[in-house]
Amino acid sequence: MIIQKTSNSRIGDFDPNNIGFGAAFIDHMIICEYENGKWGDVKLMPYGPLPFTPAMMGVNYGQACFEGMKAYKDKDGEVYLFRPEKNFERINKSAKRLAMPEITEEMFIDGLKALVDVDRAWIPYGEGKSLYLRPLIFATEEALKARISNKYMFAIVATPVQSYYTEPVSVKISDYYSRAASGGVGNAKAAGNYAAAFYPTKLANEEGYEQIIWTDDATHEYFEESGTMNVFVRINDTIYTPPTSDKILDGVTRDSFIQLAKKRGIDIKVEPIEVAKVVEAHKNGELKEVWGVGTAVVTTAFKALGYKDEKLVLPILSDEESFAISLKKNLVDIQTNQSEDPFGWRVKVEKHILETV
């Protein structure tokens, strides 16, 4: 790894008590370029703009994917990553689906650890606070021709964050727009997936909803995801979540929730969720909770579901009654080193790792 530390840290301008989401970036970034059929040296360098042109193929033809993950600081100042191997596996699945070169585990894991170590002062400590990490791969060749690019960049940037949503949200069940189609790129974290979601979300916002529950493209009769999150539904004391497919992202937080629920003996079923079943359960008083999970939000509870011309208001549960809240606490306690980690998910980032690189 090539190391170039900044001589002008901006940490003095960072206020850990006044954090937005994704607005301020740490002092350094990781960069690695692909050319002539191979990846070059990984570089840790000062964060800043890079020289690209509007003819860059990633901008014109959409070869771009990314990951979302976090680093956490405990009360003793120690720093941890959470299940980074899952994100490594998934970014390569995304790259393969988009015909981009896969990266090595050393590039990904060592790059993350080096970046987090050198800028550990940027990682805020406290409830809901963390360092959001964004590994990404995108085409950089300067050419206007619809083909696979010959040049790429792997990068990691990071931003201190606090909780994405602080209150439950209302969501609209889509009966027209879909997030992904069979045979498409729904199970890849392709940048274009998010661009295509913005317009339907804007329409939902105009109706008074913060997000969308995406339904299947063929019939709109089954839940798939919610906004940029995986979705969970609790009917009585059973949790349901859709199985992953080529339309549904294999979320790390989703998998963690499933494993935590099983460990606690909660009845959880990974199976298709019919919209009609959810509506009927609400009518019968059996629909207890619906929530979304993802790296950025961890957990977002839904207070109402919009379906056609109806607004299905969900029960208000106490923290003790809510599966969503208690499972979130289990997960966050593991991530932030406040509880034992029976799964081996927590990965400690040793201090001064750059001295051994």
Side-chain angles (χ1 to χ4, degrees):
M1 184 180 296
I2 297 172
I3 309 296
Q4 182 188 351
K5 292 186 182 181
T6 183
S7 58
N8 186 27
S9 174
R10 293 171 284 105
I11 190 67
D13 298 326
F14 171 56
D15 180 2
N17 298 312
N18 185 24
I19 307 172
F21 198 104
F25 292 87
I26 64 175
D27 282 332
H28 297 89
M29 60 184 177
I30 294 290
I31 295 294
C32 186
E33 296 184 79
Y34 179 94
E35 190 172 2
N36 298 322
K38 63 181 181 180
W39 289 104
D41 293 324
V42 176
K43 302 173 185 176
L44 186 147
M45 58 191 294
Y47 175 82
L50 295 166
F52 296 120
T53 80
M56 183 174 73
M57 292 183 73
V59 173
N60 288 276
Y61 304 110
Q63 275 187 295
C65 68
F66 63 86
E67 279 298 314
M69 51 197 305
K70 289 179 177 177
Y72 303 86
K73 184 176 285 182
D74 70 9
K75 60 182 177 60
D76 298 317
E78 298 294 348
V79 172
Y80 299 88
L81 299 173
F82 181 72
R83 307 187 73 182
E85 75 288 347
K86 296 286 288 183
N87 297 95
F88 165 68
E89 292 169 3
R90 193 171 63 183
I91 198 171
N92 274 341
K93 288 180 181 178
S94 297
K96 184 176 181 179
R97 178 61 183 83
L98 296 173
M100 299 193 293
E102 297 178 32
I103 60 173
T104 67
E105 186 171 6
E106 182 180 23
M107 288 168 60
F108 189 86
I109 301 296
D110 289 357
L112 284 168
K113 288 181 176 179
L115 184 62
V116 168
D117 181 41
V118 74
D119 278 340
R120 62 175 59 229
W122 284 86
I123 306 173
Y125 168 71
E127 184 176 353
K129 296 179 179 180
S130 60
L131 183 70
Y132 185 84
L133 296 154
R134 171 55 57 86
L136 63 160
I137 306 172
F138 54 98
T140 58
E141 184 179 355
E142 184 180 23
L144 295 182
K145 191 171 184 180
R147 58 165 170 78
I148 295 172
S149 176
N150 291 312
K151 296 181 181 180
Y152 298 89
M153 179 171 285
F154 166 64
I156 309 174
V157 296
T159 174
V161 296
Q162 58 186 10
S163 299
Y164 200 92
Y165 292 117
T166 56
E167 299 292 336
V169 300
S170 297
V171 295
K172 178 71 179 289
I173 299 174
S174 176
D175 58 4
Y176 179 75
Y177 291 102
S178 295
R179 176 185 171 275
S182 296
V185 293
N187 63 341
K189 280 188 76 72
N193 289 347
Y194 296 80
F198 292 155
Y199 178 68
T201 304
K202 176 178 178 288
L203 297 180
N205 294 160
E206 291 170 355
E207 293 185 49
Y209 298 95
E210 286 90 354
Q211 268 298 350
I212 288 178
I213 288 183
W214 304 105
T215 52
D216 68 289
D217 63 298
T219 67
H220 296 288
E221 293 178 357
Y222 294 90
F223 280 27
E224 290 196 335
E225 293 190 12
S226 179
T228 59
M229 304 173 285
N230 293 112
V231 65
F232 287 77
V233 173
R234 175 185 170 189
I235 298 176
N236 291 322
D237 286 335
T238 299
I239 298 174
Y240 299 85
T241 193
T244 55
S245 66
D246 58 1
K247 297 188 291 181
I248 297 177
L249 194 68
D250 187 6
V252 178
T253 309
R254 170 191 176 276
D255 180 72
S256 302
F257 260 69
I258 291 170
Q259 293 196 48
L260 285 166
K262 288 179 177 178
K263 182 172 176 56
R264 284 178 46 180
I266 297 172
D267 185 21
I268 184 163
K269 296 182 178 180
V270 180
E271 62 183 41
I273 302 174
E274 292 184 68
V275 174
K277 180 178 179 178
V278 174
V279 173
E280 183 68 18
H282 181 270
K283 179 181 177 181
N284 297 335
E286 298 173 338
L287 183 62
K288 304 302 182 184
E289 297 180 89
V290 185
W291 69 94
V293 304
T295 297
V297 300
V298 185
T299 304
T300 297
F302 301 155
K303 62 183 179 183
L305 308 177
Y307 181 61
K308 297 189 182 297
D309 296 326
E310 293 185 81
K311 192 167 188 177
L312 313 179
V313 178
L314 293 165
I316 299 174
L317 302 180
S318 68
D319 290 0
E320 292 73 24
E321 295 172 316
S322 168
F323 286 177
I325 292 173
S326 62
L327 287 168
K328 175 184 178 180
K329 185 179 187 309
N330 293 159
L331 180 60
V332 171
D333 284 351
I334 291 174
Q335 290 172 330
T336 57
N337 196 28
Q338 297 183 72
S339 72
E340 294 298 318
D341 176 12
F343 303 97
W345 288 340
R346 201 165 50 225
V347 177
K348 185 176 180 180
V349 178
E350 300 294 341
K351 292 181 181 178
H352 310 304
I353 193 171
L354 293 182
E355 296 177 1
T356 63
V357 173

